[in-house]
Amino acid sequence: MANLKEIRNRISSVSSTMQITSAMKMVSAAKLKKAQDAITAMRPYADKLTELLQSLSATLDADSGSKFAEEREVNNVLIVSITSNRGLCGAFNSNIIKQTQHLISNVYADKKVSVLAIGKKANDAFSKKGIVIDNKSTIFDDLTFDNVSEIAEMLMDTFVAGEYDKIEIVYNKFKNAATQIVMTEQFLPIVPVAGEAVNNADYIFEPSKLEIVEQLIPKSLKTQLYKGIRDSFASEHGARMTAMHKATDNATELRDQLKLTYNKARQAAITNEILEIVGGAEALNN
């Protein structure tokens, strides 16, 4: 059994760890509320905008379709992998890295695949393989629509230029503080919806269907990327809050066990001292 000093040191260490994890939990909880409100407010708008764009794109003639909807043979693929800049958030980052690796090794095994890392964890995971074209981890320092739009414009330009035939986004979709869903969405080319759903809609277009689509596409793509990053940002704080909550509970349980062990060791030491005193007194009496 460890001596009393060692147990006291462990109790002190665990208590300090518990204070840190508890503080991190409260910080993440505060940030989560703001991030959750932001993604909850924009998600209906983003989903409706994407739905409208896909419906309009599906009704255009093949020769009048947008340059962003061009289907071509897939040889070069770009995966936008969205992680966080920091750890201590459970399986949040590892799930994205695993899904990205699955796409590289299985889905696009015979293609040339590159990765755009949004978050330091994705950059650390794939930079050693030499497939990261850029690291946009600083976006989380000032997460605004304008800053994300610059990344979206870069992606659109590379697709139009023919550098990539397909661009996919991998991120964590926020469901609640304890649940994040790994999503893989096709960013480019735009995926049209089924024809039946479109034909049932009766719209009057002004100025024209083609002009509306050409104006909506860049805005829709920017919104789609912004929503993905916002989803990931909210998921990160939810995952970290949950992870730190569990860590605090585990530290509390460990501290209680150590205190019990300490009390037992202290009681045993006192008992031994009493026995030694009684034994010495008996020896003197005899």
Side-chain angles (χ1 to χ4, degrees):
M1 181 179 290
N3 60 47
L4 296 177
K5 184 178 180 180
E6 291 177 350
I7 298 176
R8 282 200 303 269
N9 290 339
R10 289 191 64 190
I11 292 174
S12 177
S13 176
V14 171
S15 297
S16 299
T17 301
M18 187 175 66
Q19 290 176 350
I20 294 172
T21 56
S22 179
M24 292 181 67
K25 171 191 169 184
M26 289 187 289
V27 170
S28 292
K31 291 182 178 180
L32 173 63
K33 181 63 171 64
K34 183 178 179 180
Q36 182 178 353
D37 290 343
I39 187 58
T40 303
M42 78 163 294
R43 189 177 287 163
Y45 168 77
D47 292 343
K48 192 63 180 178
L49 182 61
T50 301
E51 177 188 339
L52 177 61
L53 177 63
Q54 290 175 338
S55 299
L56 290 173
S57 299
T59 62
L60 292 175
D61 297 332
D63 56 351
S64 63
S66 168
K67 56 189 176 181
F68 298 114
E70 179 185 354
E71 294 282 351
R72 49 184 182 245
E73 183 181 355
V74 178
N75 293 313
N76 297 310
V77 180
L78 177 64
I79 300 174
V80 182
S81 186
I82 305 176
T83 61
S84 67
N85 289 335
R86 298 184 297 136
L88 297 177
C89 47
F92 173 83
N93 290 311
S94 61
N95 287 339
I96 296 298
I97 293 171
K98 287 179 182 177
Q99 177 63 13
T100 304
Q101 187 59 51
H102 169 73
L103 293 175
I104 296 172
S105 303
N106 299 305
V107 180
Y108 302 116
D110 57 341
K111 314 295 182 184
K112 181 181 178 183
V113 182
S114 302
V115 173
L116 173 65
I118 299 182
K120 291 180 180 178
K121 295 302 179 179
N123 183 63
D124 294 343
F126 298 107
S127 59
K128 296 179 181 178
K129 299 182 179 181
I131 59 175
V132 176
I133 62 168
D134 201 356
N135 176 22
K136 299 293 185 179
S137 59
T138 56
I139 191 68
F140 294 111
D141 297 335
D142 187 17
L143 185 52
T144 63
F145 183 79
D146 290 337
N147 290 336
V148 175
S149 295
E150 296 178 4
I151 302 176
E153 288 174 359
M154 182 269 291
L155 294 175
M156 288 185 278
D157 291 341
T158 57
F159 178 79
V160 173
E163 295 182 30
Y164 303 105
D165 304 310
K166 191 173 185 180
I167 300 177
E168 300 223 59
I169 305 174
V170 181
Y171 67 97
N172 278 298
K173 181 179 180 180
F174 178 81
K175 184 176 181 181
N176 54 53
T179 306
Q180 299 82 39
I181 304 171
V182 178
M183 301 291 294
T184 302
E185 290 183 358
Q186 182 169 314
F187 186 69
L188 288 168
I190 297 170
V191 182
V193 295
E196 294 183 2
V198 179
N199 294 332
N200 292 333
D202 185 15
Y203 295 117
I204 298 176
F205 300 101
E206 181 65 34
S208 72
K209 187 185 299 184
L210 181 59
E211 289 182 59
I212 292 174
V213 169
E214 290 295 338
Q215 293 179 15
L216 273 182
I217 283 177
K219 184 175 183 179
S220 174
L221 291 172
K222 292 174 183 178
T223 303
Q224 181 184 356
L225 182 61
Y226 184 59
K227 178 178 74 71
I229 296 177
R230 269 290 177 191
D231 253 318
S232 180
F233 188 66
S235 297
E236 175 193 349
H237 291 301
R240 181 170 291 111
M241 186 186 75
T242 302
M244 291 301 99
H245 176 72
K246 292 180 179 178
T248 302
D249 289 345
N250 292 337
T252 302
E253 183 180 352
L254 180 58
R255 183 194 61 180
D256 293 342
Q257 292 176 351
L258 287 172
K259 284 185 175 181
L260 181 61
T261 302
Y262 175 81
N263 290 333
K264 288 181 178 180
R266 182 167 172 269
Q267 186 178 16
I270 293 173
T271 302
N272 289 334
E273 289 178 1
I274 293 175
L275 290 175
E276 290 176 359
I277 293 172
V278 171
E282 290 292 332
L284 290 175
N285 291 333
N286 294 333

